[in-house]
Amino acid sequence: SNTIIQDGCYIGSHVIIYQGAVVEKGTAIEEQGVIESGVQIGQSSYIVYGAQLGANSKVGDQCVIGGFVAERTEIGKRSRIFGSLLHRHHEPHLPWDENIEPSPTLGDNVIVGFNSSVIGDIDVGNNVYITANTLVTEDVPPETIVTGRDNKIPIEEWQGPLSDTPYLSTNGG
């Protein structure tokens, strides 16, 4: 399949874009990014220095990706990923290419903080903030802040500095 890079994109030095990737208009990929085969990146997204998007992953419009995204992961619009979206690797005895595990699925307006991990067949709803150094191994409902290990707090109960941010509002940020 063809690799497609639409108008108005910026591709930095030492970026690897594999066959079959689609980079929609207005997207920027900073230096040393890796975009594997079949990846789809939405309009006006920003791939930060050294980020990696695994094969057949999908990134929505206006996203910022600064971490690692496992194969077949789906990320909604206006999300910001600075941690890792990973597979569980429950069957390490299988050959690498035969072990097709489910990947995380993230809604719109999701933030994954630095050094955080979302692991496995996890559904993360819209308007979710996963704080730095957090481990997510369970589904996360919409309008939730997640801290520590799977500690989910509804936004309306959160007392921290994000309690009134328009980014996590139900009006779409």
Side-chain angles (χ1 to χ4, degrees):
S1 59
N2 292 331
T3 301
I4 299 169
I5 301 174
Q6 295 181 351
D7 292 340
C9 290
Y10 167 79
I11 309 296
S13 66
H14 300 92
V15 169
I16 300 170
I17 301 176
Y18 286 72
Q19 182 178 355
V22 176
V23 181
E24 293 186 14
K25 67 181 180 178
T27 290
I29 305 173
E30 284 189 346
E31 290 69 22
Q32 302 201 18
V34 177
I35 312 301
E36 293 184 5
S37 62
V39 169
Q40 297 177 22
I41 303 173
Q43 294 182 19
S44 302
S45 289
Y46 192 81
I47 311 303
V48 177
Y49 178 94
Q52 183 172 346
L53 290 132
N56 300 309
S57 56
K58 295 179 183 177
V59 175
D61 295 342
Q62 301 173 349
C63 288
V64 178
I65 308 295
F68 178 84
V69 176
E71 297 86 356
R72 298 172 306 283
T73 297
E74 294 186 19
I75 301 169
K77 298 178 206 170
R78 297 174 306 279
S79 292
R80 299 175 182 198
I81 311 302
F82 298 105
S84 298
L85 308 178
L86 306 165
H87 297 216
R88 288 195 188 276
H89 295 286
H90 281 309
E91 301 183 70
H93 62 283
L94 293 176
W96 183 255
D97 289 341
E98 290 180 22
N99 194 4
I100 306 299
E101 292 190 15
S103 303
T105 301
L106 282 63
D108 297 338
N109 302 319
V110 173
I111 295 174
V112 177
F114 285 96
N115 205 34
S116 292
S117 296
V118 178
I119 303 175
D121 187 13
I122 303 296
D123 287 317
V124 176
N126 295 333
N127 306 313
V128 169
Y129 193 106
I130 298 170
T131 63
N133 296 312
T134 294
L135 178 62
V136 179
T137 63
E138 303 170 349
D139 289 349
V140 179
E143 289 131 31
T144 300
I145 295 177
V146 187
T147 65
R149 180 176 178 153
D150 294 317
N151 181 30
K152 294 173 248 176
I153 303 163
I155 287 175
E156 65 270 5
E157 295 176 19
W158 180 256
Q159 300 299 313
L162 298 170
S163 59
D164 61 355
T165 180
Y167 186 84
L168 297 174
S169 76
T170 56
N171 296 329

